[in-house]
Amino acid sequence: MAEIVNLRLVKKRKAKDAKEKIAAENRILFGRTKIEKQFEREANRKAARFLDENRLENRDTPTETDADGK
């Protein structure tokens, strides 16, 4: 005798499996851990701060092109 199958549940399970497959692919393509994201943000912040602190020209003084009005 054949097993009775609830088609509604089979359809839901199939959709769930498809979504999980897409999610797994996206995790591989786009996923980074929270720690990796924080590390990158911190590295960018430190690099920007380093560049700002070691700037050769002062932002407050006008440059030659600003003084000429060009």
Side-chain angles (χ1 to χ4, degrees), residues 15-30:
K16 184 177 179 181
D17 290 343
K19 285 183 182 180
E20 180 58 35
K21 181 180 176 189
I22 292 170
E25 291 172 358
N26 286 339
R27 281 192 293 272
I28 292 170
L29 292 175
F30 305 110

Side-chain angles (χ1 to χ4, degrees), residues 6-16:
N6 187 337
L7 295 178
R8 179 177 47 87
L9 294 178
V10 171
K11 183 178 176 182
K12 285 183 178 182
R13 186 174 299 127
K14 184 177 177 182
K16 184 177 179 181

